[in-house]
Amino acid sequence: MIRTILMMSAMLLSISLEAQMIAVYPVDKESLTKIHDFSVTASGLEVPVYQCQVNPRRKVQTASWCQFGTEKGETMEVVYHKGKIRSAVVRPASKGIKHEVLNDSTIRFRVPKVTMNRSYSLTVEVNGDREHNLHVFVDGPEPEVPTAPDPDSKDSILWETVSSHDVFVQHPRLIYFGPGIHKPKDLPSGEIKIPSNCTVYMAPGAIVRARLIVDHAENVRIIGRGVVLGALRGVEITYSKNVLIDGLTVINPQHYTVFGGQSEDITIRNLRSFSRHPWSDGIDLMCCRNVTVEDVFLRNNDDAFALYNHRWWYWGGSGNFHIRRATIFSDLARPFNIGCHGDDRAETGEVLRDAFIEDCDVLSADGSGICQINTGDQNRVENVHFKNIRIEDVIQTRLFNVQPIFSDKYNRCPGGDIRGVWFEDIFYNGDEARLQKSIFKNYDDTHTIGDIHFSNIRVNGKTVKFEDIK
């Protein structure tokens, strides 16, 4: 077996100053690119700003992002280098962060204390420009920081250059990525398979150019403040259980940021994602159960969340989803897409039930619906709750889209019934002309919707009734 090695770069540092941690990432053609639209400081300490690509209005644009961790509140100053500041906003509005414009080029605001296992994801938009904005990711303290292991240990891997089969031979308890670029040379399809009972730690400043695969495994944790860059998918979880993803940033995957198939007991926390490619969804889960998603930021060029029953090789229905405190910036498609795929061969199809989506911010959306439930392939949906969903503006979309459908592109037969849907405390504040009429309809007499409930739906502060919902 080829000896494991530790890839470290003297150019990279994790800077600790007054309980503040700043991740400094490598910059070159294989890694990240710095961008100079904005300069950022947190309590006087420089925070590097990197480029990310986004795809609003189906046109790839370059935006900015930065990241730091803190155990206390921080005063941030953002300098804008592209002209004079005429207006500025820090979003989501629900965070209540007040800013002041100090001069023609500088904005100041205070980020509150962030507790352990939590994070803030903010955007700073100058002169109404949402296509080239600044994304600010603020982390609380890391709950666990493994010690970099001995390169000769049989129980851990610092980094390897051999095939994924050798990972399973070694059965590591820890796979450790230190600061620097980690790119597999001999691994098939740029992927790293993670065995059961293993922790993958990505230190601040670590960049992994590979898909992380959890397949037929259990008790896996993927943690840290590193970046997964340019992989086919970010993290893939199939036929597995008890998997934690906490703290990663996934940039420019070819397809999904996190993909789940026929797995259970999944927790996703403090995840950040940018994607620009077609079909580069955020979190897609097929036939998964017992899933919790908290404090994530998703800016994708397709659905942010997609919850499905049967598709491809995954079977058994879906249930028990808890999604809360998500911040979504949908450049295309739907923030929440439930249903669509199912088992067309079964007599009654599969059931997706018990999805609870609450306390989420939608900063932008462009597609067929923000809260969308469309069943296909005899797929049925039961007991879905949307509560306290704050929508700040849209490009063009509907608030709600609830219907069984038949799509020539995605389905072999119509969808089944949709029963028991609650929309409570849904707030839209934006241009009403960009809202299309919401859809609530049956496919026919045998593929229907029912038991739909509404409470406190407001458009620009005005309460609207079901028959008036746009």
Side-chain angles (χ1 to χ4, degrees):
M1 180 180 295
I2 298 176
R3 183 178 181 272
T4 58
I5 61 173
L6 177 63
M7 297 183 63
M8 299 289 288
S9 172
M11 298 174 60
L12 305 175
L13 300 172
S14 292
I15 303 172
S16 178
L17 179 63
E18 297 180 353
Q20 183 178 120
M21 183 278 297
I22 293 177
V24 181
Y25 294 94
V27 177
D28 63 27
K29 64 180 181 179
E30 288 287 310
S31 183
L32 300 178
T33 301
K34 283 193 175 182
I35 186 170
H36 303 289
D37 291 358
F38 298 90
S39 298
V40 178
T41 59
S43 296
L45 190 63
E46 180 182 357
V47 181
V49 180
Y50 303 99
Q51 172 184 293
C52 59
Q53 290 184 317
V54 297
N55 200 351
R57 305 177 192 271
R58 297 171 177 83
K59 184 178 180 181
V60 176
Q61 304 285 347
T62 298
S64 306
W65 71 279
C66 65
Q67 176 186 17
F68 66 93
T70 180
E71 296 180 0
K72 60 184 182 62
E74 304 289 346
T75 298
M76 298 194 64
E77 289 194 0
V78 175
V79 179
Y80 181 63
H81 297 293
K82 295 181 67 178
K84 181 179 179 180
I85 297 176
R86 300 185 300 275
S87 65
V89 61
V90 179
R91 303 200 294 152
S94 65
K95 299 297 189 240
I97 294 178
K98 305 298 183 183
H99 71 276
E100 57 179 326
V101 179
L102 301 182
N103 50 50
D104 288 348
S105 62
T106 305
I107 306 159
R108 177 190 290 161
F109 55 91
R110 179 82 177 168
V111 175
K113 178 180 178 179
V114 186
T115 59
M116 189 173 292
N117 289 328
R118 296 288 298 273
S119 62
Y120 275 99
S121 296
L122 310 173
T123 71
V124 179
E125 296 159 17
V126 175
N127 301 335
D129 187 352
R130 298 185 180 184
E131 299 181 354
H132 310 91
N133 53 339
L134 170 68
H135 305 77
V136 180
F137 302 144
V138 187
D139 296 300
E142 290 191 74
E144 178 182 356
V145 181
T147 301
D150 182 343
D152 296 319
S153 169
K154 294 181 180 180
D155 294 327
S156 58
I157 293 177
L158 296 178
W159 175 237
E160 58 172 62
T161 59
V162 293
S163 71
S164 58
H165 175 72
D166 291 306
V167 175
F168 290 91
V169 171
Q170 270 193 305
H171 292 291
R173 291 194 293 266
L174 173 65
I175 300 175
Y176 186 100
F177 295 103
I181 303 170
H182 305 273
K183 183 178 181 181
K185 296 178 181 179
D186 302 322
L187 301 183
S189 304
E191 61 189 35
I192 297 172
K193 291 188 176 180
I194 304 166
S196 295
N197 306 308
C198 181
T199 293
V200 177
Y201 179 69
M202 297 172 58
I207 293 179
V208 176
R209 295 188 59 91
R211 173 173 47 155
L212 305 180
I213 297 179
V214 182
D215 180 62
H216 290 88
E218 60 183 28
N219 306 323
V220 170
R221 300 184 307 152
I222 304 172
I223 61 175
R225 302 284 166 74
V227 169
V228 176
L229 177 64
L232 179 65
R233 292 173 180 154
V235 181
E236 187 171 304
I237 307 166
T238 52
Y239 309 107
S240 296
K241 62 181 180 180
N242 194 21
V243 177
L244 168 67
I245 301 170
D246 190 347
L248 304 189
T249 299
V250 179
I251 296 179
N252 205 22
Q254 298 294 312
H255 292 295
Y256 311 144
T257 292
V258 176
F259 170 69
Q262 206 168 323
S263 297
E264 61 186 42
D265 301 323
I266 299 171
T267 300
I268 303 171
R269 290 197 301 250
N270 306 313
L271 174 80
R272 286 74 177 254
S273 169
F274 297 102
S275 63
R276 65 173 178 84
H277 294 287
W279 302 292
S280 55
D281 298 25
I283 298 173
D284 274 35
L285 304 172
M286 303 172 188
C287 292
C288 291
R289 298 181 183 276
N290 305 328
V291 178
T292 298
V293 183
E294 300 175 324
D295 299 296
V296 300
F297 175 89
L298 303 173
R299 184 167 187 175
N300 307 112
N301 192 42
D302 211 322
D303 298 332
F305 287 94
L307 309 180
Y308 299 147
N309 283 329
H310 163 70
R311 196 183 189 195
W312 299 329
W313 311 275
Y314 309 108
W315 310 84
S318 305
N320 195 24
F321 298 94
H322 294 266
I323 299 170
R324 46 186 170 253
R325 299 189 302 276
T327 301
I328 299 169
F329 199 126
S330 287
D331 285 323
L332 183 67
R334 297 144 290 251
F336 305 103
N337 185 20
I338 299 175
C340 187
H341 302 291
D343 181 3
D344 64 290
R345 295 180 293 180
E347 212 171 282
T348 58
E350 295 179 332
V351 180
L352 187 156
R353 58 165 56 94
D354 302 333
F356 302 89
I357 301 168
E358 61 181 338
D359 194 15
C360 296
D361 292 287
V362 177
L363 305 188
S364 186
D366 183 11
S368 54
I370 292 173
C371 303
Q372 177 164 306
I373 306 174
N374 288 171
T375 55
D377 299 325
Q378 300 195 91
N379 177 27
R380 291 175 290 140
V381 172
E382 300 175 357
N383 194 29
V384 177
H385 295 248
F386 289 93
K387 182 176 181 180
N388 197 15
I389 309 298
R390 303 168 293 268
I391 303 133
E392 298 200 9
D393 209 348
V394 299
I395 296 174
Q396 188 172 18
T397 190
R398 301 174 177 86
L399 291 182
F400 312 112
N401 184 338
V402 180
Q403 57 179 325
I405 62 169
F406 173 69
S407 166
D408 291 335
K409 184 175 182 180
Y410 293 114
N411 304 127
R412 296 182 179 180
C413 64
D417 294 343
I418 300 170
R419 291 288 185 272
V421 181
W422 282 259
F423 298 104
E424 182 180 358
D425 300 332
I426 312 295
F427 308 108
Y428 175 77
N429 292 286
D431 187 347
E432 294 184 40
R434 298 178 181 176
L435 281 182
Q436 299 172 314
K437 186 73 173 178
S438 290
I439 297 175
F440 296 91
K441 70 177 184 180
N442 302 327
Y443 180 80
D444 58 25
D445 291 342
T446 59
H447 305 81
T448 64
I449 67 173
D451 194 22
I452 312 295
H453 305 266
F454 296 89
S455 175
N456 195 23
I457 314 298
R458 299 190 183 188
V459 174
N460 289 324
K462 179 183 177 182
T463 302
V464 293
K465 299 178 180 179
F466 171 71
E467 57 269 21
D468 298 324
I469 290 174
K470 291 189 65 176

